[in-house]
Amino acid sequence: MAARDLQERIKKLIVDQRLPSGAPLPTEPELMRLLGASRNSVRESLKALQAMGIVEIRHGFGTYVGSMSFAPMIEGLAFRTVAGHCRGEDSLLQLLELREAMETGLVSRLAGRLPEADLVELEALVRRMEREAAEGAGLAETDRAFHATLYRGLDNVLLGEVLEAFWEAFHRVQRDLVDAPQDPRVTCRQHREILDAVRSGDSLRAERAIREHFGGVRTRLTRPAVSHR
């Protein structure tokens, strides 16, 4: 039996039995019997599925349904972007454009619709960002929290995880490849404008604010001061 076919059958077993993350899978001998496959074939398939986050092998305890996180996708995106950049491709810019397309399309849906609790939290994050800028501290984690809190209002867990994956891959690569960080005061001003636009209920203003934010990042990426390490 081909390795890919065996992996698909194990995935089908998880789906058919409606097994949640953390649920135990049948033992290795049981999988061999159920799938009509050799021990080595089952083990190799489980290892491949573990690399994808679909299963988790706990040595001495058994195999369980994995968290199915986007960690493998983040690793793949980050590596692909670095490799492309080092070949002279605009891979980091392409990843930025993917994030911009998603966020621009989503932010207008939030304008005037965020609950007051989320607006209060976003306000606190912008103020924290302003304090960090004044102190010369890095803004990355507060920036990350701002975007995560903003799109939490869409009440879509999968969407939130995808956006987080793109954010993580982009910033991991950006730290290594971009020499000129953005002026933190500009970053603060842009996030303040995003918040004010969403709070005002003006969807077009919210879109413009997101585009301005990404436009500033794009300008830095297209400057000649980019390292090709």
Side-chain angles (χ1 to χ4, degrees), residues 34-110:
L34 286 169
L35 303 172
S38 69
R39 184 182 300 274
N40 283 342
S41 295
V42 169
R43 285 182 176 177
E44 290 304 312
S45 294
L46 290 174
K47 287 178 183 177
L49 293 173
Q50 179 171 241
M52 302 176 206
I54 294 173
V55 306
E56 179 187 356
I57 300 171
R58 303 176 191 173
H59 295 289
F61 295 94
T63 304
Y64 298 79
V65 178
S67 62
M68 303 185 199
S69 75
F70 283 95
M73 185 176 83
I74 294 171
E75 292 297 332
L77 271 174
F79 180 77
R80 184 184 187 283
T81 303
V82 170
H85 181 87
C86 291
R87 291 194 300 267
E89 300 171 6
D90 290 330
S91 54
L92 188 55
L93 186 60
Q94 291 169 11
L95 185 54
L96 176 74
E97 289 174 347
L98 182 57
R99 281 190 61 205
E100 181 179 9
M102 290 189 67
E103 295 202 28
T104 303
L106 293 170
V107 73
S108 62
R109 294 168 54 188
L110 295 169

Side-chain angles (χ1 to χ4, degrees), residues 12 16 39 48 58 67 137 144 153-154 168 178 191 198 211:
K12 187 175 187 301
D16 289 348
R39 184 182 300 274
R58 303 176 191 173
S67 62
R144 179 184 205 147
L154 294 170
E168 174 65 25
V178 180
H191 284 79
V198 169
R211 290 190 187 281

